[in-house]
């Protein structure tokens, strides 16, 4: 019996005997109407019921961007990085910390728009402290539309916010039917370990399914704290949490695209409990999560470029490389938090963000297959030069030397001690200039209609114009 089958069997036993607690009356009623056993607010599934619904979800799907060159396939052999997510603070180069602002959020949008490694932008890249919590999701969504034309990662907010966002999205994409046919937005639905889904996340999940937009189901369990200390046990309970949410999405709209995610990792219990986002256990579980996604015929989600370091240092570098390289090796389809995350997902750093851009490029280059054909074998030149010649001035070298990878961060022949920081500052400036030179323009008439909907939130229209 395979390890995946054993995890599945354990998850089925958990869903049958322990159940998943659902903190949302509307969701509980949907489960009940679809024949799922409900006691109070806990739902219990048979394996047949689980698989009936899970099999309705597609194995892969396309997320359509307003600029078609950024359309992205989620599933199969496709690996898509997505930037920082969920951080409340901004850390600078020296480790000084402050609350994030909407200005910081917009700077993130610009950097991600300009960096070619990404086809997706937005979400809660930074939690802006200078806007009201009740409308923060709306303002982040609107900023994403104004500063990017890549596929949209949605922030998750309160139910009334999300309802307005989806109403505005109908204006953006033409109609609800268009959105279902060509989904252009995706959102992260975190489960609450152990074995629960909360009201706010479930409200968002049900709206996503209603409008046919993809949902990422994902636990972020801490070994020995919010889940079993054993990785196998935590994978089984996380699978149960995921499958309950996936089943609900299919009950609302069969065929709703979903992503099976694992963001679980170790808990560092020395002097308290810390979410050790870059621990080796996390790379193992998230990598195995991709196996479970394939077991169910679903796309996968994990994390990359993550670090627990509080400042940019050697630890930040090796942990970020470890987590992204692991995600890439395991074939995780959507690699979130890949760009800017610091200090166990507490802060975003712009300097760390462009370092992570370099990590992503280098990992992609290192995993690319070597091209072997008559031209690349270059036998005629090898024979001609023989034992004592040099290839420095050969035709093949002169014609192709620019194909060798050239890093944008760091230096291979540094002449001063400040070279690393200087290369980062130079790259940030280059990306922001690239953005200014090719800023995407949102259609004015469409944005007028979007603003008219979002203004119902009570946000002053002058804010949107600013």
């Amino acid at each position: 019996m395979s390890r995946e089958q054993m995890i599945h069997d354990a998850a089925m036993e958990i869903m049958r005997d322990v159940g998943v607690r659902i903190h949302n009356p509307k969701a509980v009623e949907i489960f009940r109407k679809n024949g799922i056993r409900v006691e109070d607010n806990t739902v219990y599934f048979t394996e047949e019921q689980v698989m009936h619904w899970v099999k309705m979800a597609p194995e892969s799907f396309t997320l359509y961007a307003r600029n078609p060159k950024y359309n992205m396939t989620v599933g199969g052999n496709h690996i898509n990085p997505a930037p920082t997510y969920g951080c409340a603070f901004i850390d600078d180069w020296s480790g000084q910390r402050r609350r994030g602002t909407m200005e910081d959020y917009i700077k993130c949008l610009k950097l991600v728009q300009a960096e070619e490694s990404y086809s997706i932008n937005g979400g809660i890249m930074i939690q802006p402290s200078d806007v009201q919590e009740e409308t923060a999701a709306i303002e982040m969504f609107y900023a994403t539309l104004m500063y990017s034309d890549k596929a949209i990662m949605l922030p998750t907010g309160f139910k009334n916010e999300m309802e307005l966002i989806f109403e505005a999205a109908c204006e953006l994409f033409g109609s609800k039917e268009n959105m279902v046919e060509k989904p252009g937005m995706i959102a992260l639905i975190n489960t609450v370990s152990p074995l629960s889904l909360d009201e706010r996340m479930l409200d968002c999940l049900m709206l996503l399914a209603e409008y046919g937009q993809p949902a990422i189901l994902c636990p972020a369990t801490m070994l020995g704290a919010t889940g079993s200390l054993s990785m196998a046990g935590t994978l089984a309970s996380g699978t149960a949490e995921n499958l309950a949410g996936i089943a609900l999405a299919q009950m609302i709209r069969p065929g709703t695209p979903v992503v099976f995610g694992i963001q679980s990792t170790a808990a560092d219990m020395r002097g308290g409990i810390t979410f050790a986002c870059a621990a080796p256990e996390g790379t193992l579980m998230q990598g195995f999560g991709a196996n479970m996604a394939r077991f169910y015929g679903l796309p996968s989600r994990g994390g990359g470029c993550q670090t627990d370091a509080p400042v940019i240092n050697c630890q930040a570098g090796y942990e970020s490389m470890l987590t992204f390289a692991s995600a890439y090796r395991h074939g995780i389809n959507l690699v979130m938090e890949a760009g800017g995350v610091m200090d166990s997902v507490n802060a975003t750093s712009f300097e760390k963000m462009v370092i992570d851009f370099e990590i992503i490029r280098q990992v992609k280059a290192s995993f690319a297959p070597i091209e072997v054909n008559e031209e690349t074998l270059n036998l005629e030149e090898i024979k001609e030069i023989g034992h004592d010649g040099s290839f420095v001035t050969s035709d093949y070298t002169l014609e192709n030397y620019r194909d060798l990878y050239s890093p944008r961060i760091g230096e291979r022949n540094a002449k001063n001690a400040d070279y690393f920081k200087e290369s980062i500052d130079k790259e940030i400036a280059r990306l922001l200039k690239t953005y200014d030179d090719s800023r995407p323009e949102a259609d004015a008439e469409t944005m007028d209609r979007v603003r008219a909907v979002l203004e119902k939130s009570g946000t002053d229209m002058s804010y949107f114009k600013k």
Side-chain angles (χ1 to χ4, degrees), residues 422-440:
E422 288 174 0
S423 71
I424 292 170
D425 292 341
K426 182 179 178 181
E427 179 64 2
I428 290 175
R430 186 193 71 82
L431 287 167
L432 292 175
K433 184 178 186 305
T434 297
Y435 179 86
D436 289 338
D437 291 344
S438 58
R439 173 175 174 168

Side-chain angles (χ1 to χ4, degrees), residues 128-139 158 161 457-459:
S129 63
D130 54 345
V131 299
Q132 295 183 0
E133 183 183 4
E134 294 77 14
T135 59
I138 283 174
E139 296 177 37
F158 296 102
E161 283 184 284
S457 66
T459 302

Side-chain angles (χ1 to χ4, degrees), residues 366-397:
S366 68
F367 277 87
I370 295 175
E371 187 177 356
V372 180
N373 55 43
E374 186 175 346
E375 180 185 359
T376 61
L377 286 169
N378 196 27
L379 288 176
E380 290 303 316
E381 198 169 75
I382 292 171
K383 292 176 182 178
E384 180 182 339
I385 291 175
H387 302 93
D388 301 316
S390 170
F391 289 86
V392 172
T393 58
S394 71
D395 290 342
Y396 190 86
T397 298

Side-chain angles (χ1 to χ4, degrees), residues 393-408:
T393 58
S394 71
D395 290 342
Y396 190 86
T397 298
L398 294 174
E399 291 169 5
N400 297 284
Y401 74 92
R402 291 184 181 85
D403 294 342
L404 296 176
Y405 186 87
S406 180
R408 295 176 186 165

Side-chain angles (χ1 to χ4, degrees), residues 98-368:
R98 60 175 174 78
R99 301 286 299 185
T101 66
M102 183 54 73
E103 184 179 355
D104 296 319
Y105 186 82
I106 290 170
K107 185 174 181 179
C108 270
L109 288 171
K110 291 179 177 180
L111 290 171
V112 174
Q113 175 69 24
E115 169 54 45
E116 65 271 16
S117 297
Y118 299 92
S119 294
I120 192 167
N121 207 349
I124 311 174
M125 293 190 293
I126 294 170
Q127 297 177 13
S129 63
D130 54 345
V131 299
Q132 295 183 0
E133 183 183 4
E134 294 77 14
T135 59
I138 283 174
E139 296 177 37
M140 286 185 278
F141 170 69
Y142 182 75
T144 301
L145 301 187
M146 291 299 295
Y147 288 93
S148 178
D149 59 2
K150 297 188 175 185
I152 298 169
M153 175 69 74
L154 282 177
T156 48
F158 296 102
K159 182 181 179 181
N160 60 328
E161 283 184 284
M162 302 309 294
E163 288 172 338
L164 286 176
I165 285 173
F166 279 99
E167 184 182 343
C170 289
E171 299 294 340
L172 181 69
F173 295 109
S175 68
K176 186 175 183 178
E177 292 72 23
N178 288 351
M179 292 173 64
V180 172
E181 183 179 353
K182 290 186 173 183
M185 307 186 300
I186 189 170
L188 174 63
I189 305 298
N190 281 123
T191 66
V192 180
S193 302
L195 297 171
S196 298
L197 285 89
D198 73 16
E199 183 171 23
R200 184 166 165 179
M201 287 288 113
L202 285 165
D203 281 337
C204 292
L205 173 60
M206 290 186 286
L207 278 167
L208 287 163
E210 179 186 343
Y211 284 83
Q213 303 305 286
I216 308 161
L217 275 297
C218 190
T221 312
M222 291 187 287
L223 295 176
T226 57
S228 168
L229 185 66
S230 78
M231 287 188 279
T234 284
L235 281 167
S237 60
T239 295
E241 294 167 17
N242 275 349
L243 295 180
I246 289 168
L248 176 62
Q250 304 311 309
M251 291 173 187
I252 294 167
R253 182 183 289 277
T256 295
V258 293
V259 178
F260 183 102
I262 294 289
Q263 186 63 59
S264 301
T265 190
D268 193 319
M269 299 184 182
R270 297 171 296 181
I273 298 177
T274 300
F275 183 74
C277 73
E281 292 89 348
T283 66
L284 285 169
M285 286 194 288
Q286 291 166 45
F288 198 84
N291 293 358
M292 293 308 300
R294 287 186 282 270
F295 179 88
Y296 294 114
L298 299 171
S300 58
R301 180 269 191 196
C305 293
Q306 297 165 318
T307 183
D308 300 307
V311 294
I312 297 173
N313 57 15
C314 184
Q315 178 188 347
Y318 70 68
E319 289 180 340
S320 297
M321 179 63 82
L322 167 70
T323 53
F324 191 78
S326 173
Y328 211 90
R329 179 174 68 85
H330 285 104
I332 294 172
N333 300 128
L334 188 61
V335 187
M336 292 188 64
E337 299 170 3
V341 163
M342 291 291 299
D343 193 24
S344 307
V345 203
N346 279 311
T348 289
S349 161
F350 295 117
E351 290 91 351
K352 169 71 161 41
M353 184 174 287
V354 297
I355 295 170
D356 290 340
F357 293 171
E358 182 67 45
I359 287 172
I360 292 168
R361 290 190 295 266
Q362 291 203 19
V363 169
K364 289 172 69 175
S366 68
F367 277 87

Side-chain angles (χ1 to χ4, degrees), residues 29-36 49 53 251-252:
E29 190 57 30
I30 291 171
F31 281 119
R32 182 179 283 113
K33 285 182 177 179
N34 282 278
I36 307 301
Q49 288 171 326
W53 294 109
M251 291 173 187
I252 294 167

Side-chain angles (χ1 to χ4, degrees), residues 56-68:
M56 293 182 182
E59 190 171 357
S60 66
F61 58 89
T62 299
L63 195 61
Y64 292 88
R66 286 179 293 157
N67 184 338

